[in-house]
Amino acid sequence: MTGIFRQYRTELRNIFILALIVFAVPYLPAFADLALTAKGLIFSAAVMGSFVLAMVVKLYFRILVLRITKEN
């Protein structure tokens, strides 16, 4: 059973992301109204900042792992 998940990991991830997008579509107009307020702008900036921070940390650890495997 785990072999099936391992084999189709990328496809399952893409299906999961697509399902999240489909479930989020009805909330987009309400989020657009919220984004035009001061609280919404602060929230949007926080989400974008945390996304950038997460990508930087992910890149840092990938480089760190590559260096460790290169030394060994």
Coordinates of all heavy atoms in Angstrom, one line a residue:
M1 N 0.8 -1.2 0.0 CA 0.0 0.0 0.0 C 0.9 1.3 0.0 O 0.6 2.2 -0.7 CB -0.9 0.0 1.2 CG -1.9 1.1 1.3 SD -3.1 0.8 0.0 CE -4.2 2.1 0.3
T2 N 1.9 1.2 0.8 CA 2.8 2.4 0.8 C 3.6 2.6 -0.5 O 3.9 3.7 -0.9 CB 3.8 2.4 2.0 OG1 4.6 1.2 1.9 CG2 3.1 2.4 3.3
G3 N 3.8 1.5 -1.2 CA 4.4 1.5 -2.5 C 3.6 2.3 -3.5 O 4.2 3.0 -4.3
I4 N 2.3 2.2 -3.4 CA 1.4 2.9 -4.3 C 1.5 4.4 -4.0 O 1.6 5.3 -4.9 CB 0.0 2.5 -4.2 CG1 -0.2 1.0 -4.7 CG2 -1.0 3.4 -4.9 CD1 -1.5 0.4 -4.5
F5 N 1.5 4.8 -2.7 CA 1.6 6.2 -2.4 C 3.0 6.7 -2.8 O 3.1 7.9 -3.3 CB 1.5 6.4 -0.8 CG 0.1 6.2 -0.4 CD1 -0.2 5.4 0.7 CD2 -1.0 6.9 -1.0 CE1 -1.5 5.2 1.1 CE2 -2.3 6.7 -0.6 CZ -2.6 5.9 0.5
R6 N 4.0 6.0 -2.6 CA 5.4 6.4 -3.0 C 5.5 6.6 -4.5 O 6.1 7.5 -5.0 CB 6.4 5.4 -2.5 CG 7.8 5.9 -2.5 CD 8.8 4.9 -1.9 NE 8.4 4.6 -0.6 CZ 8.4 3.4 -0.1 NH1 8.7 2.4 -0.8 NH2 8.1 3.2 1.2
Q7 N 4.8 5.7 -5.3 CA 4.9 5.7 -6.7 C 4.2 6.9 -7.3 O 4.6 7.6 -8.2 CB 4.3 4.5 -7.3 CG 4.5 4.4 -8.8 CD 3.9 3.0 -9.3 OE1 3.5 2.2 -8.6 NE2 4.0 2.9 -10.6
Y8 N 3.0 7.3 -6.7 CA 2.2 8.3 -7.2 C 2.2 9.6 -6.3 O 1.2 10.3 -6.3 CB 0.7 7.8 -7.4 CG 0.6 6.7 -8.4 CD1 0.4 5.4 -8.1 CD2 0.8 7.0 -9.8 CE1 0.3 4.4 -9.0 CE2 0.7 6.0 -10.7 CZ 0.5 4.7 -10.3 OH 0.4 3.7 -11.3
R9 N 3.3 9.8 -5.6 CA 3.4 10.9 -4.7 C 3.1 12.2 -5.3 O 2.4 13.1 -4.8 CB 4.7 10.9 -4.0 CG 4.9 11.9 -3.0 CD 6.2 11.8 -2.2 NE 7.3 11.5 -3.0 CZ 8.4 10.9 -2.6 NH1 8.5 10.6 -1.3 NH2 9.4 10.6 -3.4
T10 N 3.8 12.5 -6.5 CA 3.6 13.8 -7.2 C 2.2 14.0 -7.7 O 1.6 15.1 -7.5 CB 4.6 13.9 -8.4 OG1 5.9 13.6 -7.9 CG2 4.5 15.2 -9.0
E11 N 1.6 13.0 -8.2 CA 0.2 13.1 -8.7 C -0.7 13.3 -7.6 O -1.7 14.1 -7.7 CB -0.2 11.8 -9.5 CG 0.5 11.7 -10.8 CD 1.9 11.1 -10.8 OE1 2.3 10.7 -9.6 OE2 2.5 11.0 -11.8
L12 N -0.6 12.6 -6.5 CA -1.4 12.8 -5.3 C -1.3 14.2 -4.7 O -2.3 14.9 -4.3 CB -1.1 11.8 -4.2 CG -1.6 10.3 -4.6 CD1 -1.0 9.4 -3.5 CD2 -3.1 10.3 -4.6
R13 N -0.1 14.7 -4.7 CA 0.2 16.1 -4.2 C -0.6 17.1 -5.1 O -1.2 18.0 -4.7 CB 1.7 16.4 -4.2 CG 1.9 17.8 -3.6 CD 3.4 18.2 -3.9 NE 3.5 18.4 -5.3 CZ 4.7 18.3 -6.0 NH1 5.8 18.0 -5.3 NH2 4.7 18.5 -7.3
N14 N -0.5 16.9 -6.5 CA -1.1 17.8 -7.4 C -2.6 17.8 -7.3 O -3.3 18.8 -7.3 CB -0.7 17.5 -8.8 CG 0.8 17.8 -9.1 OD1 1.4 18.6 -8.3 ND2 1.3 17.2 -10.1
I15 N -3.2 16.6 -7.1 CA -4.6 16.5 -6.9 C -5.0 17.1 -5.6 O -6.1 17.8 -5.5 CB -5.0 15.0 -6.8 CG1 -4.9 14.4 -8.2 CG2 -6.5 14.8 -6.4 CD1 -5.0 12.9 -8.3
F16 N -4.3 17.0 -4.5 CA -4.6 17.7 -3.2 C -4.5 19.2 -3.4 O -5.4 19.9 -2.9 CB -3.6 17.2 -2.2 CG -3.8 17.8 -0.8 CD1 -4.9 17.4 -0.1 CD2 -2.9 18.7 -0.3 CE1 -5.1 18.0 1.2 CE2 -3.1 19.2 1.0 CZ -4.2 18.9 1.7
I17 N -3.5 19.7 -4.1 CA -3.4 21.2 -4.3 C -4.6 21.7 -5.1 O -5.2 22.7 -4.8 CB -2.1 21.5 -5.0 CG1 -1.0 21.3 -4.0 CG2 -2.1 22.9 -5.4 CD1 0.4 21.4 -4.6
L18 N -5.0 20.9 -6.1 CA -6.2 21.3 -7.0 C -7.4 21.3 -6.1 O -8.3 22.2 -6.2 CB -6.3 20.3 -8.1 CG -7.4 20.6 -9.1 CD1 -7.2 22.0 -9.8 CD2 -7.5 19.5 -10.2
A19 N -7.6 20.3 -5.2 CA -8.8 20.2 -4.4 C -8.8 21.4 -3.4 O -9.9 22.0 -3.2 CB -8.8 18.9 -3.6
L20 N -7.7 21.8 -2.9 CA -7.6 23.0 -2.0 C -8.0 24.3 -2.8 O -8.7 25.1 -2.2 CB -6.2 23.1 -1.4 CG -5.8 22.2 -0.3 CD1 -4.4 22.4 0.1 CD2 -6.8 22.3 0.9
I21 N -7.5 24.4 -4.0 CA -7.9 25.6 -4.8 C -9.4 25.6 -5.1 O -10.0 26.6 -5.0 CB -7.1 25.6 -6.1 CG1 -5.6 25.9 -5.8 CG2 -7.6 26.6 -7.1 CD1 -4.7 25.7 -7.0
V22 N -9.9 24.4 -5.4 CA -11.4 24.4 -5.7 C -12.2 24.7 -4.5 O -13.2 25.4 -4.5 CB -11.8 23.0 -6.2 CG1 -13.3 22.8 -6.2 CG2 -11.2 22.8 -7.6
F23 N -11.8 24.3 -3.3 CA -12.5 24.6 -2.1 C -12.3 26.0 -1.7 O -13.2 26.6 -1.0 CB -12.0 23.7 -0.9 CG -12.5 22.3 -1.0 CD1 -11.7 21.2 -0.8 CD2 -13.9 22.0 -1.3 CE1 -12.1 19.9 -0.9 CE2 -14.3 20.7 -1.4 CZ -13.5 19.6 -1.2
A24 N -11.2 26.7 -2.1 CA -11.0 28.1 -1.7 C -11.7 29.1 -2.6 O -11.9 30.2 -2.2 CB -9.5 28.4 -1.7
V25 N -12.1 28.7 -3.8 CA -12.7 29.6 -4.8 C -13.9 30.3 -4.2 O -14.1 31.5 -4.4 CB -13.0 28.8 -6.1 CG1 -13.9 29.7 -7.0 CG2 -11.7 28.5 -6.8
P26 N -14.9 29.7 -3.5 CA -16.0 30.4 -3.0 C -15.7 31.6 -2.0 O -16.4 32.5 -1.9 CB -16.9 29.4 -2.4 CG -16.5 28.1 -2.9 CD -15.0 28.3 -3.3
Y27 N -14.5 31.5 -1.4 CA -14.1 32.4 -0.4 C -13.3 33.6 -1.0 O -13.0 34.6 -0.3 CB -13.3 31.8 0.7 CG -14.1 30.7 1.4 CD1 -13.9 29.4 1.2 CD2 -15.1 31.0 2.3 CE1 -14.6 28.4 1.8 CE2 -15.8 30.1 3.0 CZ -15.6 28.7 2.7 OH -16.3 27.8 3.3
L28 N -13.0 33.6 -2.3 CA -12.2 34.6 -2.9 C -12.9 36.0 -2.9 O -12.2 37.0 -2.6 CB -11.8 34.2 -4.3 CG -10.7 33.1 -4.4 CD1 -10.4 32.8 -5.8 CD2 -9.5 33.5 -3.6
P29 N -14.2 36.1 -3.2 CA -14.8 37.5 -3.1 C -14.7 38.1 -1.7 O -14.5 39.3 -1.5 CB -16.2 37.3 -3.6 CG -16.2 36.0 -4.4 CD -15.1 35.2 -3.8
A30 N -15.0 37.3 -0.7 CA -14.9 37.8 0.7 C -13.5 38.2 1.0 O -13.3 39.2 1.7 CB -15.4 36.7 1.7
F31 N -12.5 37.4 0.6 CA -11.1 37.7 0.9 C -10.7 39.0 0.1 O -10.0 39.8 0.7 CB -10.2 36.6 0.4 CG -8.7 36.9 0.7 CD1 -8.3 36.9 2.1 CD2 -7.9 37.2 -0.3 CE1 -7.0 37.2 2.3 CE2 -6.5 37.5 0.0 CZ -6.1 37.5 1.3
A32 N -11.3 39.2 -1.1 CA -10.9 40.5 -1.8 C -11.5 41.7 -1.1 O -10.8 42.7 -1.0 CB -11.5 40.4 -3.2
D33 N -12.7 41.5 -0.5 CA -13.3 42.7 0.3 C -12.4 42.9 1.5 O -12.2 44.0 1.9 CB -14.7 42.4 0.7 CG -15.6 42.4 -0.5 OD1 -15.3 43.1 -1.5 OD2 -16.7 41.8 -0.4
L34 N -12.0 41.8 2.2 CA -11.1 42.0 3.4 C -9.8 42.6 3.0 O -9.3 43.4 3.8 CB -10.9 40.6 4.0 CG -10.0 40.6 5.2 CD1 -10.7 41.3 6.4 CD2 -9.7 39.1 5.7
A35 N -9.2 42.2 1.9 CA -7.9 42.7 1.5 C -7.9 44.2 1.3 O -6.8 44.8 1.3 CB -7.4 42.0 0.3
L36 N -9.0 44.8 1.1 CA -9.0 46.3 0.8 C -9.1 47.1 2.1 O -9.0 48.3 2.1 CB -10.2 46.6 0.0 CG -10.2 46.0 -1.5 CD1 -11.5 46.4 -2.2 CD2 -9.0 46.5 -2.2
T37 N -9.2 46.4 3.3 CA -9.2 47.1 4.5 C -7.8 47.1 5.1 O -6.9 46.3 4.6 CB -10.2 46.4 5.5 OG1 -9.7 45.1 5.8 CG2 -11.6 46.4 5.0
A38 N -7.6 47.8 6.1 CA -6.2 47.9 6.8 C -5.9 46.6 7.4 O -4.7 46.1 7.3 CB -6.2 49.0 7.8
K39 N -6.9 46.0 8.1 CA -6.6 44.7 8.7 C -6.3 43.6 7.6 O -5.4 42.8 7.8 CB -7.8 44.2 9.5 CG -7.6 43.0 10.3 CD -8.8 42.3 10.9 CE -9.8 43.2 11.4 NZ -11.0 42.5 12.1
G40 N -7.0 43.7 6.5 CA -6.7 42.7 5.4 C -5.4 42.9 4.8 O -4.7 41.9 4.4
L41 N -4.9 44.2 4.7 CA -3.6 44.4 4.1 C -2.5 43.9 5.0 O -1.5 43.3 4.6 CB -3.4 45.9 3.9 CG -4.2 46.5 2.7 CD1 -4.0 48.0 2.6 CD2 -3.7 45.8 1.4
I42 N -2.7 44.1 6.3 CA -1.7 43.5 7.3 C -1.7 42.0 7.3 O -0.6 41.4 7.3 CB -2.1 44.0 8.7 CG1 -1.8 45.5 8.8 CG2 -1.2 43.3 9.8 CD1 -2.4 46.2 10.1
F43 N -2.9 41.4 7.2 CA -3.0 39.9 7.1 C -2.3 39.4 5.8 O -1.6 38.5 5.8 CB -4.4 39.5 7.2 CG -4.6 38.0 7.1 CD1 -4.3 37.2 8.2 CD2 -5.1 37.4 6.0 CE1 -4.5 35.8 8.1 CE2 -5.3 36.1 5.9 CZ -5.0 35.3 7.0
S44 N -2.6 40.1 4.7 CA -2.0 39.7 3.4 C -0.5 39.8 3.4 O 0.2 38.9 2.9 CB -2.6 40.5 2.3 OG -4.0 40.3 2.2
A45 N 0.0 40.9 4.0 CA 1.5 41.1 4.1 C 2.1 40.0 5.0 O 3.2 39.5 4.7 CB 1.8 42.5 4.6
A46 N 1.4 39.7 6.1 CA 1.9 38.6 7.0 C 2.0 37.3 6.3 O 2.9 36.5 6.4 CB 1.1 38.5 8.2
V47 N 0.9 36.9 5.5 CA 0.9 35.7 4.8 C 2.0 35.6 3.7 O 2.7 34.6 3.6 CB -0.5 35.4 4.1 CG1 -0.4 34.3 3.1 CG2 -1.5 35.2 5.2
M48 N 2.2 36.7 3.0 CA 3.2 36.8 2.0 C 4.6 36.7 2.6 O 5.5 36.0 2.1 CB 3.1 38.0 1.1 CG 1.9 37.9 0.1 SD 1.9 39.3 -1.0 CE 0.9 40.5 0.0
G49 N 4.8 37.4 3.7 CA 6.1 37.4 4.4 C 6.4 36.0 4.9 O 7.6 35.5 4.8
S50 N 5.4 35.3 5.5 CA 5.7 34.0 6.0 C 6.0 33.0 4.9 O 6.8 32.1 5.0 CB 4.5 33.5 6.8 OG 3.3 33.4 6.0
F51 N 5.3 33.2 3.7 CA 5.6 32.4 2.5 C 7.0 32.5 2.1 O 7.8 31.6 1.8 CB 4.6 32.7 1.4 CG 4.8 31.8 0.2 CD1 4.5 30.5 0.2 CD2 5.4 32.4 -0.9 CE1 4.6 29.8 -1.0 CE2 5.6 31.6 -2.1 CZ 5.2 30.3 -2.1
V52 N 7.5 33.8 2.0 CA 8.9 34.1 1.6 C 9.8 33.5 2.6 O 10.8 32.9 2.2 CB 9.1 35.6 1.4 CG1 10.5 35.9 1.3 CG2 8.3 36.1 0.2
L53 N 9.6 33.6 3.9 CA 10.4 33.1 4.9 C 10.5 31.6 4.8 O 11.6 31.0 4.9 CB 9.9 33.5 6.3 CG 10.8 33.0 7.5 CD1 12.2 33.6 7.4 CD2 10.1 33.4 8.8
A54 N 9.4 30.9 4.5 CA 9.4 29.5 4.4 C 10.2 29.0 3.2 O 10.9 28.0 3.3 CB 7.9 29.0 4.3
M55 N 10.1 29.7 2.1 CA 10.9 29.4 0.9 C 12.4 29.6 1.1 O 13.2 28.8 0.7 CB 10.4 30.2 -0.3 CG 9.0 29.8 -0.8 SD 8.9 28.1 -1.3 CE 7.8 27.5 -0.1
V56 N 12.7 30.6 1.9 CA 14.2 30.9 2.2 C 14.7 29.8 3.1 O 15.8 29.3 2.8 CB 14.3 32.3 2.8 CG1 15.7 32.4 3.4 CG2 14.1 33.4 1.8
V57 N 13.9 29.4 4.1 CA 14.4 28.3 5.0 C 14.5 27.0 4.2 O 15.5 26.2 4.4 CB 13.4 28.2 6.2 CG1 13.7 26.9 7.0 CG2 13.5 29.4 7.1
K58 N 13.5 26.7 3.3 CA 13.6 25.5 2.5 C 14.8 25.5 1.7 O 15.5 24.5 1.6 CB 12.3 25.4 1.7 CG 12.3 24.2 0.8 CD 11.0 24.2 0.0 CE 10.9 23.1 -1.0 NZ 9.7 23.1 -1.8
L59 N 15.1 26.6 1.0 CA 16.3 26.7 0.2 C 17.6 26.5 1.0 O 18.5 25.9 0.6 CB 16.3 28.0 -0.6 CG 17.5 28.3 -1.5 CD1 17.4 27.3 -2.7 CD2 17.4 29.7 -2.1
Y60 N 17.6 27.2 2.2 CA 18.8 27.1 3.0 C 19.1 25.6 3.4 O 20.2 25.1 3.4 CB 18.6 27.9 4.3 CG 19.7 27.7 5.3 CD1 20.9 28.3 5.2 CD2 19.4 26.9 6.5 CE1 21.9 28.1 6.1 CE2 20.4 26.7 7.4 CZ 21.6 27.3 7.2 OH 22.6 27.1 8.2
F61 N 18.0 24.9 3.8 CA 18.2 23.5 4.2 C 18.6 22.6 3.1 O 19.3 21.6 3.2 CB 17.0 23.0 5.0 CG 17.0 23.4 6.4 CD1 16.0 24.3 6.9 CD2 18.0 23.0 7.3 CE1 16.0 24.7 8.2 CE2 18.0 23.4 8.6 CZ 17.0 24.3 9.0
R62 N 18.1 22.9 1.9 CA 18.5 22.1 0.7 C 20.0 22.3 0.4 O 20.7 21.3 0.1 CB 17.7 22.5 -0.5 CG 16.3 21.9 -0.6 CD 15.8 21.9 -1.9 NE 14.5 21.2 -1.9 CZ 13.6 21.3 -2.9 NH1 13.9 22.0 -3.9 NH2 12.5 20.6 -2.8
I63 N 20.4 23.5 0.5 CA 21.8 23.8 0.3 C 22.7 23.1 1.4 O 23.7 22.6 1.1 CB 22.1 25.3 0.2 CG1 21.5 25.9 -1.0 CG2 23.6 25.6 0.3 CD1 21.5 27.4 -1.1
L64 N 22.2 23.2 2.6 CA 22.9 22.6 3.7 C 23.0 21.0 3.5 O 24.1 20.5 3.7 CB 22.2 22.9 5.0 CG 22.9 22.4 6.3 CD1 24.2 23.2 6.5 CD2 21.9 22.6 7.5
V65 N 22.0 20.4 3.1 CA 22.0 19.0 2.8 C 22.9 18.7 1.7 O 23.7 17.7 1.7 CB 20.5 18.4 2.5 CG1 20.6 17.0 2.0 CG2 19.7 18.5 3.8
L66 N 22.9 19.5 0.6 CA 23.8 19.2 -0.5 C 25.3 19.3 -0.1 O 26.1 18.6 -0.5 CB 23.5 20.3 -1.6 CG 22.3 20.0 -2.5 CD1 22.1 21.1 -3.5 CD2 22.5 18.7 -3.2
R67 N 25.6 20.3 0.8 CA 26.9 20.4 1.3 C 27.4 19.2 2.1 O 28.5 18.7 2.0 CB 27.1 21.7 2.1 CG 27.1 22.9 1.3 CD 27.4 24.1 2.2 NE 27.3 25.4 1.4 CZ 27.3 26.6 1.9 NH1 27.3 26.7 3.3 NH2 27.3 27.6 1.2
I68 N 26.4 18.7 3.0 CA 26.8 17.6 3.8 C 27.0 16.4 3.0 O 28.0 15.6 3.2 CB 25.6 17.4 4.9 CG1 25.6 18.5 5.9 CG2 25.8 16.0 5.5 CD1 24.4 18.5 6.8
T69 N 26.1 16.1 2.0 CA 26.3 14.9 1.1 C 27.6 15.1 0.3 O 28.2 14.1 -0.1 CB 25.1 14.7 0.3 OG1 24.8 15.9 -0.5 CG2 23.9 14.3 1.1
K70 N 27.9 16.3 -0.1 CA 29.1 16.5 -0.9 C 30.4 16.2 -0.1 O 31.4 15.7 -0.7 CB 29.1 17.9 -1.5 CG 30.1 18.2 -2.5 CD 30.0 19.6 -3.0 CE 30.9 19.9 -4.2 NZ 30.8 21.3 -4.7
E71 N 30.4 16.6 1.1 CA 31.5 16.3 2.0 C 31.7 14.8 2.3 O 32.8 14.4 2.4 CB 31.4 17.1 3.3 CG 31.6 18.6 3.2 CD 31.3 19.3 4.5 OE1 31.1 18.6 5.5 OE2 31.4 20.5 4.5
N72 N 30.6 14.1 2.3 CA 30.7 12.7 2.6 C 31.0 11.9 1.4 O 31.5 11.3 0.9 CB 29.4 12.1 3.3 CG 29.3 12.7 4.6 OD1 30.2 13.1 5.3 ND2 28.0 12.8 5.1

